[in-house]
Short mmCIF file of all heavy atoms in Angstrom, two decimals:
data_model
loop_
_atom_site.label_atom_id
_atom_site.label_comp_id
_atom_site.label_asym_id
_atom_site.label_seq_id
_atom_site.Cartn_x
_atom_site.Cartn_y
_atom_site.Cartn_z
N MET F 818 29.85 -0.63 10.07
CA MET F 818 28.56 -1.21 9.71
C MET F 818 28.21 -0.68 8.40
O MET F 818 27.68 0.41 8.12
CB MET F 818 27.50 -0.78 10.80
CG MET F 818 26.49 -1.75 11.04
SD MET F 818 25.60 -1.54 12.44
CE MET F 818 24.81 0.05 12.46
N ALA F 819 28.24 -1.56 7.36
CA ALA F 819 27.97 -1.25 5.95
C ALA F 819 26.49 -1.45 5.70
O ALA F 819 25.90 -2.51 6.31
CB ALA F 819 28.81 -1.94 5.00
N THR F 820 25.89 -0.74 4.78
CA THR F 820 24.55 -0.88 4.39
C THR F 820 24.45 -1.89 3.28
O THR F 820 25.31 -1.80 2.24
CB THR F 820 23.93 0.45 3.99
OG1 THR F 820 24.08 1.24 4.99
CG2 THR F 820 22.36 0.21 3.61
N ASN F 821 23.58 -2.78 3.29
CA ASN F 821 23.30 -3.68 2.24
C ASN F 821 22.51 -3.03 1.17
O ASN F 821 21.29 -2.72 1.31
CB ASN F 821 22.57 -4.98 2.64
CG ASN F 821 22.52 -6.05 1.67
OD1 ASN F 821 22.81 -5.84 0.48
ND2 ASN F 821 22.08 -7.20 2.12
N LYS F 822 23.13 -2.69 -0.04
CA LYS F 822 22.61 -1.82 -1.02
C LYS F 822 21.36 -2.55 -1.76
O LYS F 822 20.35 -1.95 -2.10
CB LYS F 822 23.59 -1.37 -2.05
CG LYS F 822 24.75 -0.65 -1.45
CD LYS F 822 24.41 0.91 -1.33
CE LYS F 822 25.70 1.58 -0.95
NZ LYS F 822 25.40 2.71 -0.13
N GLU F 823 21.59 -3.90 -1.95
CA GLU F 823 20.50 -4.69 -2.55
C GLU F 823 19.21 -4.67 -1.80
O GLU F 823 18.07 -4.49 -2.32
CB GLU F 823 20.89 -6.01 -2.97
CG GLU F 823 22.01 -6.20 -3.97
CD GLU F 823 23.45 -5.92 -3.37
OE1 GLU F 823 23.51 -6.07 -2.19
OE2 GLU F 823 24.25 -5.57 -4.12
N LEU F 824 19.22 -4.98 -0.55
CA LEU F 824 18.14 -4.96 0.35
C LEU F 824 17.55 -3.58 0.49
O LEU F 824 16.30 -3.46 0.58
CB LEU F 824 18.51 -5.43 1.75
CG LEU F 824 18.38 -6.97 1.99
CD1 LEU F 824 18.93 -7.29 3.36
CD2 LEU F 824 17.03 -7.52 1.78
N LEU F 825 18.39 -2.47 0.54
CA LEU F 825 17.84 -1.27 0.56
C LEU F 825 17.05 -0.77 -0.60
O LEU F 825 15.96 -0.27 -0.59
CB LEU F 825 18.99 -0.17 0.77
CG LEU F 825 18.65 1.29 0.95
CD1 LEU F 825 17.86 1.50 2.31
CD2 LEU F 825 19.96 2.21 0.95
N SER F 826 17.52 -1.10 -1.75
CA SER F 826 16.79 -0.74 -3.04
C SER F 826 15.48 -1.66 -3.06
O SER F 826 14.53 -1.22 -3.65
CB SER F 826 17.69 -1.00 -4.25
OG SER F 826 17.94 -2.56 -4.30
N LYS F 827 15.51 -2.76 -2.61
CA LYS F 827 14.31 -3.82 -2.60
C LYS F 827 13.23 -3.07 -1.66
O LYS F 827 12.04 -3.03 -2.00
CB LYS F 827 14.66 -5.06 -2.03
CG LYS F 827 13.42 -6.06 -2.16
CD LYS F 827 13.94 -7.46 -1.75
CE LYS F 827 12.82 -8.46 -1.78
NZ LYS F 827 13.17 -9.72 -1.34
N GLY F 828 13.62 -2.62 -0.47
CA GLY F 828 12.82 -1.92 0.48
C GLY F 828 12.17 -0.59 -0.15
O GLY F 828 11.01 -0.31 0.00
N ILE F 829 13.02 0.12 -0.90
CA ILE F 829 12.53 1.44 -1.52
C ILE F 829 11.54 1.00 -2.66
O ILE F 829 10.58 1.83 -2.86
CB ILE F 829 13.73 2.29 -2.00
CG1 ILE F 829 14.56 2.88 -0.81
CG2 ILE F 829 13.32 3.32 -2.96
CD1 ILE F 829 15.76 3.48 -1.13
N LYS F 830 11.71 -0.11 -3.37
CA LYS F 830 10.74 -0.46 -4.37
C LYS F 830 9.36 -0.81 -3.70
O LYS F 830 8.44 -0.57 -4.20
CB LYS F 830 11.31 -1.63 -5.13
CG LYS F 830 12.34 -1.25 -6.05
CD LYS F 830 13.04 -2.44 -6.78
CE LYS F 830 14.20 -2.06 -7.65
NZ LYS F 830 14.77 -3.24 -8.36
N TYR F 831 9.44 -1.42 -2.54
CA TYR F 831 8.16 -1.81 -1.84
C TYR F 831 7.55 -0.49 -1.55
O TYR F 831 6.20 -0.36 -1.64
CB TYR F 831 8.43 -2.60 -0.57
CG TYR F 831 8.62 -4.04 -0.77
CD1 TYR F 831 9.71 -4.67 -0.10
CD2 TYR F 831 7.78 -4.78 -1.50
CE1 TYR F 831 9.78 -6.00 -0.27
CE2 TYR F 831 7.95 -6.08 -1.66
CZ TYR F 831 9.06 -6.72 -1.03
OH TYR F 831 9.05 -8.19 -1.24
N LEU F 832 8.15 0.48 -1.03
CA LEU F 832 7.58 1.87 -0.61
C LEU F 832 7.11 2.53 -1.81
O LEU F 832 6.13 3.26 -1.77
CB LEU F 832 8.56 2.55 0.17
CG LEU F 832 8.94 2.03 1.62
CD1 LEU F 832 10.00 3.01 2.22
CD2 LEU F 832 7.77 1.96 2.48
N ALA F 833 7.84 2.37 -2.97
CA ALA F 833 7.34 3.10 -4.16
C ALA F 833 6.11 2.43 -4.70
O ALA F 833 5.22 3.12 -5.30
CB ALA F 833 8.48 3.05 -5.18
N GLY F 834 6.02 1.20 -4.52
CA GLY F 834 4.67 0.50 -4.92
C GLY F 834 3.53 0.84 -3.98
O GLY F 834 2.46 0.85 -4.54
N ALA F 835 3.82 1.13 -2.70
CA ALA F 835 2.73 1.49 -1.88
C ALA F 835 2.24 2.95 -2.00
O ALA F 835 1.10 3.23 -1.68
CB ALA F 835 3.32 1.30 -0.29
N LEU F 836 3.16 3.79 -2.64
CA LEU F 836 2.72 5.14 -2.70
C LEU F 836 1.48 5.53 -3.56
O LEU F 836 0.48 6.14 -3.18
CB LEU F 836 3.87 5.96 -3.25
CG LEU F 836 3.73 7.51 -3.36
CD1 LEU F 836 3.56 7.94 -1.92
CD2 LEU F 836 4.89 8.26 -3.93
N PRO F 837 1.40 4.91 -4.82
CA PRO F 837 0.14 5.16 -5.60
C PRO F 837 -1.09 4.55 -4.85
O PRO F 837 -2.15 5.25 -4.91
CB PRO F 837 0.36 4.50 -6.91
CG PRO F 837 1.71 3.97 -6.80
CD PRO F 837 2.30 4.18 -5.57
N LEU F 838 -0.92 3.41 -4.21
CA LEU F 838 -2.06 2.72 -3.55
C LEU F 838 -2.65 3.64 -2.36
O LEU F 838 -3.70 3.52 -1.82
CB LEU F 838 -1.79 1.44 -3.03
CG LEU F 838 -1.54 0.39 -4.22
CD1 LEU F 838 -1.05 -0.97 -3.66
CD2 LEU F 838 -2.77 0.13 -5.10
N LEU F 839 -1.71 4.49 -1.69
CA LEU F 839 -2.08 5.32 -0.64
C LEU F 839 -3.10 6.36 -1.01
O LEU F 839 -3.94 6.78 -0.17
CB LEU F 839 -0.85 5.93 -0.13
CG LEU F 839 0.03 5.04 0.79
CD1 LEU F 839 1.29 5.81 1.26
CD2 LEU F 839 -0.64 4.80 2.10
N PHE F 840 -3.03 6.69 -2.37
CA PHE F 840 -3.97 7.74 -2.85
C PHE F 840 -5.23 7.07 -3.59
O PHE F 840 -6.34 7.53 -3.50
CB PHE F 840 -3.18 8.70 -3.80
CG PHE F 840 -2.25 9.46 -3.21
CD1 PHE F 840 -0.81 9.18 -3.26
CD2 PHE F 840 -2.62 10.60 -2.40
CE1 PHE F 840 0.10 9.86 -2.60
CE2 PHE F 840 -1.55 11.44 -1.74
CZ PHE F 840 -0.37 11.02 -1.94
N ILE F 841 -4.93 5.97 -4.26
CA ILE F 841 -6.11 5.22 -5.06
C ILE F 841 -7.06 4.68 -4.04
O ILE F 841 -8.24 4.83 -4.30
CB ILE F 841 -5.46 4.23 -5.99
CG1 ILE F 841 -4.60 4.84 -7.03
CG2 ILE F 841 -6.47 3.40 -6.50
CD1 ILE F 841 -3.78 3.89 -7.87
N GLY F 842 -6.55 4.02 -2.99
CA GLY F 842 -7.46 3.36 -2.03
C GLY F 842 -8.59 4.29 -1.51
O GLY F 842 -9.71 4.06 -1.53
N PRO F 843 -8.18 5.33 -0.82
CA PRO F 843 -9.13 6.30 -0.20
C PRO F 843 -9.99 7.02 -1.25
O PRO F 843 -11.10 7.37 -1.01
CB PRO F 843 -8.27 7.31 0.53
CG PRO F 843 -7.00 6.60 0.84
CD PRO F 843 -6.85 5.68 -0.21
N ALA F 844 -9.48 7.31 -2.44
CA ALA F 844 -10.22 7.74 -3.52
C ALA F 844 -11.34 6.86 -3.97
O ALA F 844 -12.53 7.37 -4.28
CB ALA F 844 -9.40 8.26 -4.65
N LEU F 845 -11.02 5.67 -4.03
CA LEU F 845 -12.05 4.70 -4.45
C LEU F 845 -13.13 4.51 -3.36
O LEU F 845 -14.26 4.43 -3.60
CB LEU F 845 -11.44 3.34 -4.72
CG LEU F 845 -10.74 3.21 -6.03
CD1 LEU F 845 -9.92 1.80 -6.17
CD2 LEU F 845 -11.67 3.31 -7.23
N ILE F 846 -12.72 4.47 -2.04
CA ILE F 846 -13.72 4.38 -0.95
C ILE F 846 -14.53 5.53 -1.02
O ILE F 846 -15.85 5.52 -0.82
CB ILE F 846 -12.93 4.24 0.27
CG1 ILE F 846 -12.19 2.98 0.36
CG2 ILE F 846 -13.95 4.46 1.50
CD1 ILE F 846 -11.30 2.69 1.56
N TYR F 847 -14.03 6.73 -1.23
CA TYR F 847 -14.93 8.09 -1.23
C TYR F 847 -15.77 7.99 -2.38
O TYR F 847 -17.00 8.28 -2.34
CB TYR F 847 -13.95 9.26 -1.27
CG TYR F 847 -14.70 10.49 -1.51
CD1 TYR F 847 -15.20 11.10 -0.43
CD2 TYR F 847 -14.79 11.14 -2.72
CE1 TYR F 847 -15.88 12.40 -0.53
CE2 TYR F 847 -15.53 12.34 -2.98
CZ TYR F 847 -15.99 13.06 -1.83
OH TYR F 847 -16.74 14.10 -1.76
N ASN F 848 -15.35 7.53 -3.58
CA ASN F 848 -16.24 7.43 -4.73
C ASN F 848 -17.36 6.41 -4.47
O ASN F 848 -18.47 6.65 -4.86
CB ASN F 848 -15.38 6.96 -5.87
CG ASN F 848 -16.19 7.02 -7.17
OD1 ASN F 848 -17.31 7.44 -7.20
ND2 ASN F 848 -15.40 6.67 -8.27
N ALA F 849 -16.99 5.27 -3.78
CA ALA F 849 -18.04 4.33 -3.57
C ALA F 849 -19.15 4.91 -2.48
O ALA F 849 -20.34 4.61 -2.72
CB ALA F 849 -17.49 3.14 -2.82
N PHE F 850 -18.78 5.68 -1.55
CA PHE F 850 -19.70 6.28 -0.64
C PHE F 850 -20.61 7.39 -1.34
O PHE F 850 -21.76 7.75 -0.90
CB PHE F 850 -19.17 6.72 0.52
CG PHE F 850 -18.87 5.54 1.49
CD1 PHE F 850 -17.59 5.41 2.07
CD2 PHE F 850 -19.92 4.73 1.93
CE1 PHE F 850 -17.27 4.37 2.85
CE2 PHE F 850 -19.56 3.70 2.76
CZ PHE F 850 -18.31 3.48 3.26
N MET F 851 -19.96 8.12 -2.30
CA MET F 851 -20.73 9.10 -3.00
C MET F 851 -21.73 8.59 -3.94
O MET F 851 -22.62 9.29 -4.30
CB MET F 851 -19.69 10.12 -3.74
CG MET F 851 -18.98 10.96 -2.80
SD MET F 851 -20.11 12.11 -1.93
CE MET F 851 -19.89 11.48 -0.22
N ASN F 852 -21.44 7.40 -4.43
CA ASN F 852 -22.44 6.77 -5.45
C ASN F 852 -23.03 5.62 -4.86
O ASN F 852 -23.07 4.48 -5.44
CB ASN F 852 -21.66 6.45 -6.79
CG ASN F 852 -21.00 7.62 -7.42
OD1 ASN F 852 -21.75 8.62 -7.54
ND2 ASN F 852 -19.76 7.45 -7.92
N GLU F 853 -23.81 5.75 -3.76
CA GLU F 853 -24.42 4.58 -3.07
C GLU F 853 -25.61 4.08 -3.95
O GLU F 853 -26.00 3.00 -3.85
CB GLU F 853 -24.85 5.00 -1.71
CG GLU F 853 -23.78 5.09 -0.78
CD GLU F 853 -24.20 5.28 0.62
OE1 GLU F 853 -25.38 5.03 0.89
OE2 GLU F 853 -23.36 5.70 1.47
N GLN F 854 -26.18 4.94 -4.84
CA GLN F 854 -27.40 4.40 -5.58
C GLN F 854 -26.99 3.62 -6.80
O GLN F 854 -27.69 2.99 -7.38
CB GLN F 854 -28.16 5.64 -6.06
CG GLN F 854 -27.49 6.48 -7.20
CD GLN F 854 -26.51 7.57 -6.56
OE1 GLN F 854 -26.26 7.61 -5.33
NE2 GLN F 854 -26.01 8.33 -7.39
N ASN F 855 -25.64 3.52 -7.10
CA ASN F 855 -25.11 2.72 -8.21
C ASN F 855 -24.99 1.29 -7.86
O ASN F 855 -24.97 0.98 -6.70
CB ASN F 855 -23.74 3.34 -8.59
CG ASN F 855 -23.28 2.86 -9.91
OD1 ASN F 855 -23.88 1.96 -10.52
ND2 ASN F 855 -22.22 3.45 -10.36
N VAL F 856 -25.13 0.41 -8.87
CA VAL F 856 -25.16 -1.04 -8.70
C VAL F 856 -23.70 -1.38 -8.20
O VAL F 856 -23.66 -2.44 -7.58
CB VAL F 856 -25.54 -1.73 -10.10
CG1 VAL F 856 -25.47 -3.24 -9.89
CG2 VAL F 856 -26.97 -1.22 -10.44
N TRP F 857 -22.71 -0.78 -8.75
CA TRP F 857 -21.26 -1.19 -8.48
C TRP F 857 -20.77 -0.69 -7.10
O TRP F 857 -19.54 -0.88 -6.91
CB TRP F 857 -20.45 -0.77 -9.64
CG TRP F 857 -20.85 -1.32 -10.90
CD1 TRP F 857 -21.63 -0.66 -11.88
CD2 TRP F 857 -20.59 -2.58 -11.34
NE1 TRP F 857 -21.80 -1.35 -12.95
CE2 TRP F 857 -21.21 -2.71 -12.67
CE3 TRP F 857 -19.86 -3.80 -10.87
CZ2 TRP F 857 -21.05 -3.81 -13.54
CZ3 TRP F 857 -19.93 -4.83 -11.65
CH2 TRP F 857 -20.51 -4.90 -12.94
N HIS F 858 -21.64 -0.21 -6.28
CA HIS F 858 -21.21 0.47 -4.95
C HIS F 858 -20.29 -0.49 -4.22
O HIS F 858 -19.30 -0.18 -3.72
CB HIS F 858 -22.48 0.81 -4.30
CG HIS F 858 -22.09 1.15 -2.85
ND1 HIS F 858 -21.49 2.23 -2.27
CD2 HIS F 858 -22.44 0.40 -1.69
CE1 HIS F 858 -21.31 2.18 -1.06
NE2 HIS F 858 -22.04 1.13 -0.61
N TYR F 859 -20.77 -1.74 -3.96
CA TYR F 859 -20.00 -2.54 -3.07
C TYR F 859 -18.81 -3.12 -3.73
O TYR F 859 -17.77 -3.31 -3.04
CB TYR F 859 -20.98 -3.88 -2.71
CG TYR F 859 -22.19 -3.45 -1.75
CD1 TYR F 859 -23.30 -3.45 -2.15
CD2 TYR F 859 -21.83 -2.96 -0.54
CE1 TYR F 859 -24.35 -2.97 -1.43
CE2 TYR F 859 -22.85 -2.45 0.31
CZ TYR F 859 -24.15 -2.55 -0.20
OH TYR F 859 -25.10 -2.20 0.71
N LEU F 860 -18.78 -3.20 -5.01
CA LEU F 860 -17.57 -3.77 -5.72
C LEU F 860 -16.40 -2.61 -5.63
O LEU F 860 -15.31 -2.95 -5.28
CB LEU F 860 -17.76 -4.02 -7.20
CG LEU F 860 -16.70 -4.47 -7.97
CD1 LEU F 860 -16.08 -5.86 -7.45
CD2 LEU F 860 -16.90 -4.58 -9.50
N VAL F 861 -16.87 -1.41 -5.80
CA VAL F 861 -15.86 -0.31 -5.73
C VAL F 861 -15.43 -0.15 -4.29
O VAL F 861 -14.11 0.03 -4.03
CB VAL F 861 -16.53 0.96 -6.38
CG1 VAL F 861 -15.52 2.16 -6.17
CG2 VAL F 861 -16.81 0.82 -7.74
N LEU F 862 -16.24 -0.23 -3.37
CA LEU F 862 -15.80 -0.19 -1.92
C LEU F 862 -14.90 -1.30 -1.57
O LEU F 862 -13.93 -1.15 -0.98
CB LEU F 862 -17.14 -0.27 -1.09
CG LEU F 862 -16.82 -0.16 0.36
CD1 LEU F 862 -16.23 1.26 0.77
CD2 LEU F 862 -18.15 -0.32 1.19
N ALA F 863 -15.22 -2.46 -2.02
CA ALA F 863 -14.21 -3.56 -1.79
C ALA F 863 -12.86 -3.49 -2.38
O ALA F 863 -11.83 -3.72 -1.75
CB ALA F 863 -14.85 -4.94 -2.18
N ILE F 864 -12.87 -2.99 -3.66
CA ILE F 864 -11.62 -2.72 -4.26
C ILE F 864 -10.68 -1.72 -3.55
O ILE F 864 -9.54 -1.72 -3.39
CB ILE F 864 -11.74 -2.32 -5.80
CG1 ILE F 864 -12.30 -3.59 -6.52
CG2 ILE F 864 -10.60 -1.76 -6.52
CD1 ILE F 864 -12.79 -3.18 -7.97
N GLY F 865 -11.44 -0.66 -3.13
CA GLY F 865 -10.74 0.46 -2.31
C GLY F 865 -10.27 -0.08 -1.03
O GLY F 865 -9.10 0.31 -0.59
N ILE F 866 -10.96 -0.91 -0.35
CA ILE F 866 -10.44 -1.37 0.87
C ILE F 866 -9.33 -2.33 0.76
O ILE F 866 -8.34 -2.31 1.39
CB ILE F 866 -11.62 -2.07 1.69
CG1 ILE F 866 -12.71 -1.04 2.09
CG2 ILE F 866 -10.98 -2.94 2.82
CD1 ILE F 866 -13.81 -1.77 2.75
N ILE F 867 -9.34 -3.14 -0.34
CA ILE F 867 -8.23 -4.04 -0.69
C ILE F 867 -6.84 -3.35 -1.05
O ILE F 867 -5.94 -3.53 -0.63
CB ILE F 867 -8.61 -5.01 -1.89
CG1 ILE F 867 -9.63 -6.01 -1.26
CG2 ILE F 867 -7.39 -5.65 -2.38
CD1 ILE F 867 -10.28 -6.97 -2.33
N ALA F 868 -7.22 -2.16 -1.79
CA ALA F 868 -6.08 -1.34 -2.16
C ALA F 868 -5.40 -0.77 -0.89
O ALA F 868 -4.13 -0.62 -0.75
CB ALA F 868 -6.48 -0.24 -3.11
N CYS F 869 -6.18 -0.30 0.03
CA CYS F 869 -5.72 0.24 1.28
C CYS F 869 -4.89 -0.71 2.10
O CYS F 869 -3.83 -0.44 2.65
CB CYS F 869 -6.86 0.90 2.17
SG CYS F 869 -7.47 2.48 1.64
N LEU F 870 -5.48 -1.99 2.21
CA LEU F 870 -4.75 -3.08 2.93
C LEU F 870 -3.50 -3.44 2.25
O LEU F 870 -2.45 -3.59 2.93
CB LEU F 870 -5.67 -4.19 2.98
CG LEU F 870 -6.90 -4.07 4.00
CD1 LEU F 870 -7.79 -5.28 3.88
CD2 LEU F 870 -6.45 -3.81 5.37
N ILE F 871 -3.51 -3.49 0.81
CA ILE F 871 -2.24 -3.90 0.13
C ILE F 871 -1.16 -2.71 0.39
O ILE F 871 0.07 -3.11 0.55
CB ILE F 871 -2.51 -4.07 -1.30
CG1 ILE F 871 -3.24 -5.42 -1.42
CG2 ILE F 871 -1.24 -4.24 -2.05
CD1 ILE F 871 -3.79 -5.77 -2.80
N SER F 872 -1.61 -1.57 0.39
CA SER F 872 -0.61 -0.39 0.57
C SER F 872 0.07 -0.57 1.99
O SER F 872 1.20 -0.27 2.13
CB SER F 872 -1.25 0.94 0.37
OG SER F 872 -2.15 1.33 1.42
N MET F 873 -0.82 -0.85 2.95
CA MET F 873 -0.27 -1.08 4.32
C MET F 873 0.67 -2.25 4.36
O MET F 873 1.79 -2.08 5.03
CB MET F 873 -1.40 -1.23 5.31
CG MET F 873 -2.10 0.16 5.51
SD MET F 873 -3.30 0.11 7.06
CE MET F 873 -4.49 -1.23 6.48
N LEU F 874 0.42 -3.23 3.71
CA LEU F 874 1.29 -4.42 3.69
C LEU F 874 2.49 -4.06 3.09
O LEU F 874 3.64 -4.49 3.54
CB LEU F 874 0.55 -5.60 3.07
CG LEU F 874 1.40 -6.73 2.89
CD1 LEU F 874 1.67 -7.53 4.20
CD2 LEU F 874 0.86 -7.82 1.93
N LEU F 875 2.54 -3.37 1.95
CA LEU F 875 3.71 -3.03 1.19
C LEU F 875 4.62 -2.01 1.99
O LEU F 875 5.79 -2.10 2.03
CB LEU F 875 3.35 -2.36 -0.06
CG LEU F 875 2.92 -3.35 -1.22
CD1 LEU F 875 2.51 -2.59 -2.48
CD2 LEU F 875 3.97 -4.38 -1.51
N MET F 876 3.93 -1.05 2.79
CA MET F 876 4.75 -0.25 3.61
C MET F 876 5.47 -0.94 4.75
O MET F 876 6.63 -0.76 5.07
CB MET F 876 3.79 0.87 4.22
CG MET F 876 3.42 2.04 3.28
SD MET F 876 2.62 3.29 3.94
CE MET F 876 1.25 2.59 4.89
N TYR F 877 4.75 -1.96 5.38
CA TYR F 877 5.31 -2.78 6.38
C TYR F 877 6.53 -3.50 5.88
O TYR F 877 7.50 -3.60 6.52
CB TYR F 877 4.28 -3.71 6.88
CG TYR F 877 4.88 -4.75 7.91
CD1 TYR F 877 5.29 -4.36 9.19
CD2 TYR F 877 4.99 -6.02 7.45
CE1 TYR F 877 5.89 -5.27 10.00
CE2 TYR F 877 5.49 -6.99 8.33
CZ TYR F 877 6.00 -6.60 9.64
OH TYR F 877 6.60 -7.46 10.35
N LEU F 878 6.31 -4.20 4.67
CA LEU F 878 7.40 -4.95 4.12
C LEU F 878 8.56 -4.02 3.75
O LEU F 878 9.69 -4.37 3.89
CB LEU F 878 6.83 -5.69 2.98
CG LEU F 878 5.98 -6.90 3.14
CD1 LEU F 878 5.47 -7.46 1.94
CD2 LEU F 878 6.68 -7.99 3.98
N GLY F 879 8.26 -2.86 3.22
CA GLY F 879 9.33 -1.97 2.81
C GLY F 879 10.17 -1.41 3.91
O GLY F 879 11.38 -1.39 3.89
N LEU F 880 9.46 -1.02 5.03
CA LEU F 880 10.18 -0.56 6.30
C LEU F 880 10.97 -1.66 6.84
O LEU F 880 12.15 -1.49 7.44
CB LEU F 880 9.25 0.10 7.19
CG LEU F 880 8.64 1.39 6.67
CD1 LEU F 880 7.55 1.86 7.68
CD2 LEU F 880 9.74 2.49 6.60
N LYS F 881 10.36 -2.87 6.91
CA LYS F 881 11.03 -3.93 7.48
C LYS F 881 12.34 -4.37 6.79
O LYS F 881 13.35 -4.61 7.26
CB LYS F 881 10.16 -5.26 7.51
CG LYS F 881 10.74 -6.38 8.11
CD LYS F 881 9.67 -7.64 8.21
CE LYS F 881 10.30 -8.91 8.36
NZ LYS F 881 9.34 -10.05 8.25
N THR F 882 12.25 -4.34 5.43
CA THR F 882 13.46 -4.62 4.54
C THR F 882 14.51 -3.52 4.69
O THR F 882 15.69 -3.79 4.77
CB THR F 882 13.02 -4.74 3.07
OG1 THR F 882 11.83 -5.69 2.99
CG2 THR F 882 14.09 -5.15 2.18
N ILE F 883 14.12 -2.31 4.67
CA ILE F 883 15.07 -1.24 5.02
C ILE F 883 15.80 -1.28 6.23
O ILE F 883 17.01 -1.15 6.50
CB ILE F 883 14.41 0.16 4.79
CG1 ILE F 883 13.94 0.37 3.28
CG2 ILE F 883 15.27 1.32 5.29
CD1 ILE F 883 13.15 1.67 3.05
N MET F 884 14.99 -1.72 7.44
CA MET F 884 15.73 -1.82 8.68
C MET F 884 16.60 -2.89 8.62
O MET F 884 17.69 -2.89 9.23
CB MET F 884 14.57 -1.98 9.73
CG MET F 884 13.79 -0.84 10.13
SD MET F 884 14.96 0.56 10.71
CE MET F 884 14.41 1.85 9.62
N LYS F 885 16.25 -3.98 7.95
CA LYS F 885 17.18 -5.16 7.76
C LYS F 885 18.42 -4.79 7.10
O LYS F 885 19.51 -5.30 7.43
CB LYS F 885 16.40 -6.29 7.15
CG LYS F 885 17.19 -7.70 7.18
CD LYS F 885 16.29 -8.72 6.43
CE LYS F 885 15.11 -9.07 7.15
NZ LYS F 885 14.41 -10.28 6.53
N SER F 886 18.35 -3.98 6.08
CA SER F 886 19.49 -3.61 5.33
C SER F 886 20.38 -2.70 6.12
O SER F 886 21.60 -2.80 5.99
CB SER F 886 19.19 -2.97 4.09
OG SER F 886 18.58 -1.66 4.17
N LEU F 887 19.79 -1.86 6.90
CA LEU F 887 20.61 -0.89 7.65
C LEU F 887 21.33 -1.44 8.88
O LEU F 887 22.42 -1.21 9.22
CB LEU F 887 19.75 0.33 8.17
CG LEU F 887 19.11 1.21 7.03
CD1 LEU F 887 18.31 2.23 7.75
CD2 LEU F 887 20.38 1.97 6.31
N PHE F 888 20.63 -2.41 9.54
CA PHE F 888 21.16 -2.99 10.74
C PHE F 888 21.67 -4.36 10.60
O PHE F 888 22.09 -5.12 11.54
CB PHE F 888 20.19 -2.96 11.78
CG PHE F 888 19.74 -1.52 12.22
CD1 PHE F 888 18.43 -1.13 11.95
CD2 PHE F 888 20.62 -0.59 12.70
CE1 PHE F 888 18.12 0.07 12.28
CE2 PHE F 888 20.32 0.62 13.03
CZ PHE F 888 19.08 1.01 12.90
N ASN F 889 21.69 -4.86 9.26
CA ASN F 889 22.51 -6.22 8.98
C ASN F 889 21.93 -7.37 9.88
O ASN F 889 22.56 -8.25 10.40
CB ASN F 889 23.98 -6.10 9.18
CG ASN F 889 24.52 -5.19 8.16
OD1 ASN F 889 24.03 -5.04 7.02
ND2 ASN F 889 25.64 -4.57 8.57
N ASP F 890 20.57 -7.46 9.97
CA ASP F 890 19.96 -8.69 10.71
C ASP F 890 19.87 -9.81 9.72
O ASP F 890 19.51 -9.82 8.60
CB ASP F 890 18.53 -8.27 11.09
CG ASP F 890 18.64 -7.30 12.30
OD1 ASP F 890 19.65 -7.26 12.93
OD2 ASP F 890 17.60 -6.67 12.58
#
């Protein structure tokens, strides 16, 4: 059972893209809740939530691609 190297590298790239968003998203959400008196509160909160959702999507796609490369589906 050989590993598909191209799919494996694609999955690792997805996970590498999710890594910064895992830290940026919660930091933005925290910043939005600390500055509730600011006009931009809801915009920063929305951007933080979107960053968290995109990171979860990228992690799912990365793990799915890595499993596909390992088990030749």
Side-chain angles (χ1 to χ4, degrees):
M818 211 162 60
T820 303
N821 189 346
K822 303 273 189 216
E823 291 84 22
L824 271 179
L825 183 64
S826 67
K827 186 177 178 183
I829 292 174
K830 286 178 187 177
Y831 277 134
L832 291 178
L836 185 64
L838 291 174
L839 284 172
F840 294 101
I841 292 171
L845 286 174
I846 292 172
Y847 176 78
N848 189 3
F850 283 124
M851 287 295 114
N852 297 318
E853 288 185 15
Q854 70 276 7
N855 197 343
V856 177
W857 299 101
H858 163 71
Y859 293 112
L860 179 64
V861 174
L862 182 63
I864 291 172
I866 291 171
I867 289 171
C869 287
L870 291 174
I871 290 173
S872 71
M873 288 190 295
L874 175 71
L875 286 175
M876 285 189 306
Y877 170 75
L878 289 175
L880 290 175
K881 181 180 168 186
T882 307
I883 288 173
M884 289 298 128
K885 190 181 291 187
S886 74
L887 291 176
F888 298 115
N889 294 328
D890 285 344

